[in-house]
Amino acid sequence: MAEEARDGGSAEAEYDAAGKEAQQRHTTPDPDILRWPDEEPPKKQVWEVPPKYEWEREERSYIFEEKLQQATAMRERGNEHFRASEWELALRRYRRALYHGHLDEMQMFDLTEEHKAAVLAVLAPCKLNLACCIVRMAELGEPLDAGAVEHAEEAVNDVIKQQPENGKAYFRRGQLALLQLDLPKAREALDKAHKLAGGAGVREARARLNQLLKEERERDREMFGGKLQKTSLHQAQEARLARRKARWALMASLASWLFFPFIWPLRQLFALISMVWDMVGRRFVHSRQPVKEKAL
């Protein structure tokens, strides 16, 4: 009896627990109903970093002229820090300049060409200088926010999309590629920058690229030296076959010239025999055809 009571009590407890769990499922809202299960969080903008200064908390205006004024003021202050090699402060100023001057696609679509050019004239230098600050900070080992290099790449790509002939934009792309040791991409970008703009900075970057390529070849030589065959067996076999075909073609050409006095009369005789045989065959076929009676 005691065991039955214990069994009954445990079953009743399990039943109550299951009921409470079911009630909780019905009363608690399912998070999958409020958002898609595979929905990714919105991507952070370049200016979305923890603020350190009061001017980083200023809200942007919704009036076009004021937006450009705020962005221009931030860009000029960023240029002062840039010239003083104060990379972090310059980076923060350029981020705020992009924040104040930001316009989405629909807003840009409604602008006139003159206003679009004004926005681009303010924001494009900020994006390129922002990329330069990130490169300098990375080279100096200064701490960077998560995703800073990706933000720099997006900024440079945006400038290239709007200004395909901007040599400095390709220079910044090459610098970022060197920072990531993407040597093929760096070569392509720096060659384009050299063609469009040139300059001492581009020459220095290309010299560094050549040095990195040389070091990479030396590492490959040390790693694979003596382990790979020096010549390709497949290419050697193809070369032998090509030489053999060339010899046969030469021999055939020489034979045709040597035996030409004998071959040419034989060819003419064969052509004459073929013509006579054809004429005889036609006459024989014509003689075998029945004669048709003429109608009265």
Side-chain angles (χ1 to χ4, degrees), residues 62-279:
Y62 292 96
I63 301 174
F64 178 78
E65 290 76 8
E66 292 182 359
K67 288 174 70 69
L68 286 188
Q69 290 177 0
Q70 292 173 332
T72 302
M74 284 293 172
R75 187 193 68 178
E76 292 176 353
R77 294 298 303 274
N79 291 343
E80 295 176 2
H81 296 302
F82 189 94
R83 287 189 288 268
S85 299
E86 298 171 349
W87 306 117
E88 183 187 3
L89 284 172
L91 176 60
R92 289 182 174 274
R93 289 287 184 179
Y94 292 135
R95 281 173 170 166
R96 297 311 293 177
L98 295 176
Y99 166 76
H100 287 293
H102 174 71
L103 294 169
D104 58 29
E105 294 183 1
M106 294 300 297
Q107 291 172 327
M108 289 292 292
F109 181 79
D110 293 335
L111 295 179
T112 63
E113 294 299 326
E114 182 180 357
H115 289 163
K116 290 179 182 178
V119 173
L120 187 60
V122 174
L123 298 187
C126 292
K127 294 178 180 179
L128 298 182
N129 290 347
L130 176 141
C132 182
C133 291
I134 291 174
V135 170
R136 293 286 186 245
M137 292 177 67
E139 291 175 347
L140 295 174
E142 298 182 9
L144 287 169
D145 298 307
V149 177
E150 289 75 11
H151 284 151
E153 287 183 332
E154 292 177 2
V156 171
N157 293 337
D158 188 35
V159 175
I160 292 177
K161 180 180 178 181
Q162 296 174 344
Q163 297 177 340
E165 301 299 320
N166 192 324
K168 182 172 285 188
Y170 286 99
F171 174 47
R172 298 300 185 213
R173 174 183 281 182
Q175 287 182 307
L176 290 168
L178 284 176
L179 183 64
Q180 298 171 307
L181 296 180
D182 190 347
L183 302 186
K185 183 178 179 180
R187 173 186 289 176
E188 180 182 359
L190 292 176
D191 289 346
K192 187 74 172 180
H194 177 71
K195 180 180 178 181
L196 292 175
V202 177
R203 289 193 295 270
E204 292 177 2
R206 296 181 76 189
R208 183 186 174 194
L209 171 64
N210 293 331
Q211 181 64 29
L212 291 175
L213 290 172
K214 181 180 178 181
E215 293 175 359
E216 185 180 39
R217 288 193 297 268
E218 291 177 354
R219 287 194 301 269
D220 293 342
R221 190 179 299 111
E222 293 176 359
M223 183 178 298
F224 300 107
K227 297 182 181 180
L228 299 177
Q229 58 189 18
K230 297 182 180 180
T231 59
S232 174
L233 298 179
H234 180 67
Q235 293 180 355
Q237 184 178 4
E238 287 185 346
R240 287 196 299 270
L241 292 175
R243 289 194 297 269
R244 184 180 301 175
K245 290 181 179 180
R247 286 196 299 268
W248 278 107
L250 180 61
M251 292 174 62
S253 178
L254 291 175
S256 63
W257 282 103
L258 290 175
F259 294 99
F260 179 77
F262 305 99
I263 295 175
W264 186 81
L266 291 176
R267 286 181 178 176
Q268 298 300 321
L269 179 61
F270 179 76
L272 180 61
I273 293 173
S274 299
M275 183 176 62
V276 172
W277 181 263
D278 187 43
M279 292 175 61

